[in-house]
């Protein structure tokens, strides 16, 4: 098992039950610092204040939805635009997965959760970091297929924080 003990992880989900369940799984993996918020607006404040290493972000939340949070996180002027995001949702239809990818997420995690998929998503983000790219319509990790969403021209690879390191 990989040593995740140095990670700071944030959970943004309106369900206290889900946050507790995910926190228990993360603590079981040795993660010591887990921050929780229940809406998108508090999530953005948490990211700015705590600068977590990874964010688990629910799709449907009050005040500001997961997609709205993603648009704010990936803005050029955002305080932490390179944060790896694992989007969490119970809606797994193709259109939603495609939309989440276009928002610049790293991974998608389906509810209800189990320890193994959470571990796999964490491992993917930590062990297989993807460079960030910026195009006219996209900013985020290079999709696994190697092509930024809806892009005809060559993407600009972003230097600096493009790789997630522990």
């Amino acid at each position: 098992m990989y040593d995740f003990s140095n990670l700071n992880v944030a959970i943004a989900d309106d369900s206290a039950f889900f946050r507790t369940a995910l926190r228990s799984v993360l603590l079981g993996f040795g993660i010591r610092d887990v921050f929780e918020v229940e809406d998108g607006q508090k999530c953005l404040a948490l990211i700015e204040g705590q600068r977590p290493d990874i964010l688990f972000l629910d799709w449907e939340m009050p005040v500001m939805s997961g997609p709205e949070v993603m648009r704010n996180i990936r803005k050029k002027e955002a305080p932490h635009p390179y944060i790896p995001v694992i989007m969490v949702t119970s809606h797994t239809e193709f259109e939603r997965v495609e939309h989440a990818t276009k928002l610049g997420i790293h991974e998608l995690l389906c509810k209800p959760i189990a320890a193994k998929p959470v571990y796999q998503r964490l491992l993917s983000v930590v062990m297989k970091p993807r460079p960030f790219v910026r195009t006219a319509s996209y900013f985020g990790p290079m999709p696994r297929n190697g092509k930024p969403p809806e892009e005809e021209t060559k993407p600009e690879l972003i230097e600096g924080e493009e790789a997630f390191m522990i």
Side-chain angles (χ1 to χ4, degrees):
M1 183 179 240
Y2 189 83
D3 180 11
F4 293 120
S5 62
N6 292 328
L7 290 178
N8 296 324
V9 177
I11 303 169
D13 196 294
D14 57 326
S15 167
F17 175 79
F18 179 80
R19 290 192 314 269
T20 300
L22 183 53
R23 173 187 276 276
S24 296
V25 170
L26 296 173
L27 292 174
F29 295 152
I31 296 171
R32 290 181 241 156
D33 294 321
V34 180
F35 308 102
E36 299 178 29
V37 291
E38 65 276 358
D39 68 55
Q41 190 170 24
K42 289 179 183 174
C43 177
L44 292 175
L46 175 83
I47 291 169
E48 188 168 351
Q50 299 295 331
R51 297 193 54 94
D53 297 313
I54 297 174
L55 170 64
F56 284 85
L57 178 65
D58 186 27
W59 186 280
E60 294 179 16
M61 291 185 295
V63 184
M64 189 180 285
S65 70
E68 290 172 306
V69 170
M70 281 304 302
R71 283 189 282 279
N72 279 279
I73 288 172
R74 296 294 187 235
K75 284 182 184 176
K76 255 186 180 176
E77 65 279 2
H80 195 23
Y82 298 97
I83 183 173
V85 177
I86 299 172
M87 182 71 81
V88 184
T89 184
S90 56
H91 304 282
T92 58
E93 58 275 355
F94 178 77
E95 293 80 18
R96 180 137 337 179
V97 173
E98 185 176 53
H99 184 193
T101 301
K102 289 178 182 179
L103 291 169
I105 68 162
H106 284 75
E107 297 288 335
L108 189 73
L109 182 64
C110 302
K111 289 181 180 178
I113 63 159
K116 184 176 180 179
V118 173
Y119 184 81
Q120 290 170 333
R121 300 318 182 277
L122 281 171
L123 205 56
S124 174
V125 167
V126 173
M127 297 300 293
K128 298 176 187 170
R130 292 181 273 152
F132 272 71
V133 294
R134 184 180 309 281
T135 67
S137 61
Y138 175 78
F139 174 68
M142 177 66 82
R144 284 189 193 88
N145 67 7
K147 293 185 261 180
E150 300 176 9
E151 189 56 40
E152 304 284 325
T153 62
K154 186 176 178 182
E156 169 193 354
L157 284 175
I158 307 298
E159 298 298 325
E161 292 187 59
E162 74 276 0
F164 177 75
M165 302 288 184
I166 294 183

